Amino acid sequence: MSTDLYAFLNYMSGWTGGTDEDIQSLINEHNFFVSLTDFNSDAAIDKEFNTLVDMATTVRNETIAADAIQISADAAAVASIWSFGLGMCAFVALEASAVILRAKISSQSKQLNEKLTTVDADIAALIDPKVFQYITTYKANNNIIVAKQAKGMDAQTCRSILLQFMAHIELAGDKLDVATFKQYANSARLLFNSDEVKAIYNALDKLNLSKKSDDDLKNCLSSIKGFVWGGSTALTIVRFASIGIMANRMKVATKKLAEFNETAEILGEVKETSVFKMMDCWGKFFAGVAVIAAVADAILEIIDIVDVVKQSQKMLDDLNGKIKTSYKDFFNSIKEAAKHYNEATKKKTG
């Protein structure tokens, strides 16, 4: 499990050179996220997907040999777009990625394609203005987030790391602004480049390979508690991140962790409950961004189909099935994640 902490520190290290404008854009997205309250997204998704399904049905029914044009794009280029959901179906030239239709598409396919490019925003707008602000900023920040990614990382991991990172700042009681973001990012860089952090890597790996007995847990917690290098922001990162890895990745129950005095000493008795609540947020958030990222895989499967009639049928089936389900799961996961975040930080929304 050292790989999780390594990835966290590696990615956030890259933000020491981030521009004030880009960092503020990330903070804005974060603030829109924590402003989310209870909302009903299923009805909006059903409405928009009914439209998509009707259009996809027309494409399937009116696809004839003379007019049939395969939905075609460079798969590698499509996969490289770290976009949100169906917005990546816009097979047109984008700023950073050349995604090109290899033939003139039919008028029916063109209408479907145009609707696919706007459906993310259309759904969000039907839900409520706060959700629309969040989704709009979320999509606008994709390129910013990926530009800092380390080799082997995907977009959903990068975005989840950023949520955890900003949560660390707020859980520590610090103000989330550009200056503080940079201060913490610099601590991540110092940690990433240090030899001292290897003691935490070893402790996490040892626990992961163990039976996770009380003694195993106590030894790991003692190692985390004993880490005193790098100043207060470095300690916040190591402690919160390590406890998060134990709870979310190693599936050590927070109730179990709370039994050890070391946990309260690591987190602080006042913050302990908040940190444990934040674990629920991180789990829900990662599940949401992972499921919406899976939409890309569904689209690539459709692109790979050579037979045009079968391809249009597959598009119809998936829009009416797993893609719509993925959208519902995403919005519901984000709603729950925001709820848990606000419970953890006691941040008032509205």
Side-chain angles (χ1 to χ4, degrees):
M1 288 298 156
S2 61
T3 53
D4 288 71
L5 182 57
Y6 180 92
F8 180 97
L9 297 176
N10 190 10
Y11 181 68
M12 292 315 307
S13 294
W15 279 99
T16 55
T19 66
D20 289 1
E21 182 181 7
D22 285 351
I23 292 172
Q24 186 59 57
S25 187
L26 295 178
I27 293 172
N28 291 343
E29 177 188 331
H30 181 81
N31 290 338
F32 287 138
F33 165 70
V34 300
S35 76
L36 298 177
T37 52
D38 191 30
F39 57 79
N40 178 10
S41 54
D42 284 5
I45 293 168
D46 284 337
K47 181 178 185 300
E48 288 300 309
F49 270 79
N50 284 342
T51 299
L52 286 173
V53 167
D54 287 345
M55 297 175 80
T57 300
T58 299
V59 171
R60 181 200 62 185
N61 292 344
E62 296 187 7
T63 295
I64 57 176
D67 191 36
I69 300 296
Q70 181 188 16
I71 298 173
S72 180
D74 185 289
V78 173
S80 73
I81 300 177
W82 303 109
S83 187
F84 173 92
L86 285 171
M88 69 171 294
C89 293
F91 299 139
V92 295
L94 302 180
E95 289 182 12
S97 304
V99 180
I100 304 170
L101 279 173
R102 291 184 179 147
K104 182 180 177 181
I105 62 176
S106 67
S107 59
Q108 296 85 7
S109 295
K110 181 179 179 181
Q111 291 173 13
L112 174 60
N113 186 59
E114 289 173 348
K115 180 60 179 175
L116 289 170
T117 67
T118 66
V119 70
D120 303 328
D122 294 342
I123 289 170
L126 283 175
I127 297 171
D128 70 33
K130 289 181 178 179
V131 175
F132 179 77
Q133 284 181 311
Y134 174 63
I135 295 302
T136 301
T137 311
Y138 182 114
K139 296 181 70 171
N141 282 341
N142 282 326
N143 288 339
I144 296 174
I145 289 172
V146 173
K148 299 292 185 184
Q149 75 181 54
K151 184 177 180 180
M153 282 189 177
D154 53 37
Q156 58 265 36
T157 299
C158 295
R159 190 168 241 115
S160 296
I161 286 174
L162 281 167
L163 175 68
Q164 294 174 56
F165 178 80
M166 288 188 266
H168 291 172
I169 294 172
E170 295 204 298
L171 286 171
D174 290 326
K175 182 180 180 181
L176 179 56
D177 56 19
V178 172
T180 309
F181 187 105
K182 285 186 171 181
Q183 178 187 3
Y184 272 76
N186 186 57
S187 290
R189 179 184 63 82
L190 294 173
L191 283 164
F192 181 69
N193 293 324
S194 74
D195 289 327
E196 286 79 3
V197 77
K198 292 177 183 177
I200 303 300
Y201 293 159
N202 292 336
L204 291 172
D205 285 340
K206 185 175 180 181
L207 177 63
N208 188 48
L209 295 173
S210 73
K211 295 181 179 179
K212 300 179 182 61
S213 67
D214 285 0
D215 285 342
D216 295 326
L217 291 170
K218 187 178 180 66
N219 287 336
C220 185
L221 290 168
S222 294
S223 295
I224 297 169
K225 176 187 170 185
F227 185 84
V228 294
W229 183 88
S232 61
T233 54
L235 294 183
T236 293
I237 291 171
V238 167
R239 291 174 176 179
F240 289 173
S242 297
I243 295 296
I245 290 168
M246 293 171 70
N248 280 342
R249 295 285 286 133
M250 298 190 208
K251 306 301 181 185
V252 178
T254 54
K255 183 178 180 180
K256 184 65 178 178
L257 289 171
E259 295 176 3
F260 296 89
N261 293 332
E262 288 83 357
T263 304
E265 293 170 357
I266 291 168
L267 301 177
E269 292 185 9
V270 175
K271 294 186 176 68
E272 182 178 352
T273 301
S274 293
V275 173
F276 287 160
K277 285 183 178 179
M278 189 60 76
M279 305 302 170
D280 295 327
C281 166
W282 294 342
K284 289 288 185 181
F285 186 84
F286 187 80
V289 296
V291 76
I292 206 65
V295 171
D297 295 330
I299 297 302
L300 290 173
E301 287 180 11
I302 294 169
I303 290 171
D304 285 341
I305 298 174
V306 176
D307 184 287
V308 183
V309 176
K310 290 181 179 178
Q311 187 184 52
S312 60
Q313 181 63 51
K314 177 66 172 173
M315 172 67 87
L316 175 60
D317 292 343
D318 284 0
L319 284 173
N320 205 27
K322 63 182 181 181
I323 294 178
K324 180 167 69 173
T325 298
S326 293
Y327 264 71
K328 289 185 176 182
D329 290 345
F330 169 79
F331 279 100
N332 287 321
S333 293
I334 293 302
K335 176 175 64 178
E336 288 300 309
K339 175 184 175 182
H340 289 306
Y341 191 100
N342 286 303
E343 288 176 350
T345 59
K346 301 188 185 303
K347 183 184 291 294
K348 294 183 178 180
T349 59

